[in-house]
Amino acid sequence: GDAFLDQLALNSDGSPSVANVIPGDIIREQSYLLGSVRMWSTLIDEFKRQGYQEGDDLFVLPYDWRLSNRDSAAKLAQKITFVIGTTQSPRVNLVAHSMGGLVARAYMATKKGEILGGDRVRKLITLATPHHGTLGANLDARSIFVTNSNWKEAIEKGDHVFWTCYN
């Protein structure tokens, strides 16, 4: 069965039902019965070839994908504070994949004083981030799945404001 997945369940308030589930490292390589696939180790190796050193000026942030992006953005804020303190650089460059891009956007879009906001980010590069959500929220699909034009307009205005402010 799938009872082993029960430890990943969240309570109705969004908190973890099992406290000892903590994120490990990012997925650098995935081993299978017949071999392995290099996931993020290829990109990290490229950064190293460009002169970056992990732990000195190259840092990763594994996070619990089950939690809200706002919670993960708070963890990102903590990591950025650590990185700025370690490197003595006033701002960081972020490279984020998939939901990590939404976490970075949530961090950058917070009001000053709440978390830290985008003033500590020099560049944000996102890879395969669902900026327009799932298929049902995709720009092309919105007209098919969404009949409320006010909702569509609000999302499009929000997209415009974000990309105007942070690009």
Side-chain angles (χ1 to χ4, degrees):
D2 59 3
F4 67 95
L5 293 173
D6 290 347
Q7 66 181 342
L8 297 178
L10 297 176
N11 296 318
S12 60
D13 66 355
S15 64
S17 60
V18 177
N20 65 349
V21 177
I22 55 172
D25 193 11
I26 61 172
I27 301 173
R28 294 171 188 266
E29 188 169 330
Q30 182 65 50
S31 297
Y32 297 97
L33 184 61
L34 300 174
S36 65
V37 175
R38 295 186 59 165
M39 305 296 265
W40 295 111
S41 59
T42 303
L43 182 61
I44 289 175
D45 288 347
E46 180 57 33
F47 280 125
K48 288 177 179 178
R49 276 191 289 282
Q50 298 296 323
Y52 292 92
Q53 293 296 317
E54 198 165 356
D56 290 335
D57 54 6
L58 174 63
F59 301 88
V60 298
L61 176 66
Y63 63 94
D64 190 339
W65 50 266
R66 301 169 305 145
L67 303 180
S68 77
N69 288 340
R70 188 174 197 80
D71 290 344
S72 296
K75 299 266 191 242
L76 177 59
Q78 293 171 355
K79 184 70 168 202
I80 288 174
T81 297
F82 169 79
V83 169
I84 286 174
T86 299
T87 63
Q88 298 301 305
S89 175
R91 296 188 298 165
V92 298
N93 294 326
L94 299 177
V95 178
H97 173 253
S98 193
M99 193 166 84
L102 300 180
V103 170
R105 279 183 64 176
Y107 167 77
M108 293 175 70
T110 56
K111 296 176 187 166
K112 283 193 172 197
E114 281 186 14
I115 294 180
L116 288 178
D119 57 334
R120 300 184 104 184
V121 176
R122 186 172 158 270
K123 288 185 182 179
L124 169 60
I125 300 166
T126 62
L127 308 167
T129 296
H131 293 290
H132 293 287
T134 61
L135 175 63
N138 183 290
L139 282 174
D140 294 334
R142 286 179 190 166
S143 60
I144 297 169
F145 293 106
V146 179
T147 57
N148 183 335
S149 63
N150 292 334
W151 184 84
K152 280 178 25 179
E153 289 174 21
I155 287 180
E156 289 166 1
K157 283 180 184 174
D159 291 340
H160 175 74
V161 167
F162 177 82
W163 292 112
T164 302
C165 292
Y166 294 108
N167 285 310

